[in-house]
Amino acid sequence: MLENALKQAIHASEEERVKIFANIAQTPETSLKELAALLQRPAKHVWSAALQVIRVLGYPGNAAILPLVVEHLVDGNWPGWGDAIDVLRDIDPAVVAPLLVAIFLEQGKKREYWGSDVEGICMALVHLGKEYITPCIPSILFVLARRQGLDDPDPDFLLQVLEKAAI
């Protein structure tokens, strides 16, 4: 049901899209479960709309799904990447930063593509801005200091974040 509503929203006017998103947001518990399921499937055609609904739900209503929103930052080519940044930009950096730091410190233990995931998070941080970067600086410096192999993130991505922080 939710997927059909999101498909409608994709082709609707801005006014109609706002109504569809508001309607979905009226049942946040059900909507969050369905949105989480959609974001974990290869249903890329609805990711952007799903993330826009998550933004409409707002924080703290969307808190449970924030780890999935962060997962949509690991690849800057994914549909909805900019929408995921918009969702996070509406939330206090003190809430968002621990989710990002966790990816930096994961070091490939569970993430098969940890290096490229970190690069995606770095690109997102450049867009999020200094207030989101500052709490991540120690973990960025840790990743730069521990360089161990070819699977590590490209240091240029990490250095761009530090440059944006103007430290």
Side-chain angles (χ1 to χ4, degrees):
M1 176 191 132
L2 182 67
E3 186 172 356
N4 290 335
L6 293 176
K7 286 179 185 175
Q8 268 186 320
I10 291 168
H11 302 291
S13 67
E14 183 64 28
E15 182 181 324
E16 191 60 33
R17 186 176 13 260
V18 168
K19 288 179 186 177
I20 292 168
F21 291 167
N23 187 37
I24 294 169
Q26 288 179 354
T27 56
E29 301 83 22
T30 307
S31 296
L32 279 176
K33 288 178 186 175
E34 289 186 53
L35 289 165
L38 284 172
L39 290 175
Q40 294 177 73
R41 288 189 5 230
K44 292 182 179 187
H45 60 287
V46 294
W47 283 356
S48 181
L51 288 158
Q52 290 171 33
V53 171
I54 292 166
R55 186 176 187 198
V56 169
L57 289 168
Y59 185 81
N62 62 12
I65 203 166
L66 291 180
L68 283 174
V69 173
V70 169
E71 286 300 320
H72 280 266
L73 297 177
V74 300
D75 187 336
N77 293 316
W78 277 353
W81 187 81
D83 297 302
I85 288 175
D86 291 341
V87 169
L88 298 176
R89 195 177 277 137
D90 290 346
I91 301 170
D92 187 327
V95 173
V96 175
L99 300 169
L100 305 175
V101 167
I103 293 173
F104 285 117
L105 299 181
E106 200 274 340
Q107 301 179 47
K109 293 175 187 141
K110 295 179 185 173
R111 293 176 168 277
E112 185 176 356
Y113 303 107
W114 173 73
S116 64
D117 290 355
V118 166
E119 292 168 1
I121 295 300
C122 287
M123 288 188 313
L125 276 168
V126 167
H127 289 278
L128 285 167
K130 187 175 182 174
E131 54 279 350
Y132 293 85
I133 295 171
T134 301
C136 297
I137 290 173
S139 58
I140 293 169
L141 293 173
F142 173 76
V143 171
L144 278 168
R146 74 164 284 285
R147 300 231 354 115
Q148 295 179 344
L150 295 175
D151 293 336
D152 284 349
D154 183 335
D156 287 342
F157 285 91
L158 298 154
L159 293 171
Q160 285 175 15
V161 176
L162 296 177
E163 185 177 281
K164 180 76 172 186
I167 58 168

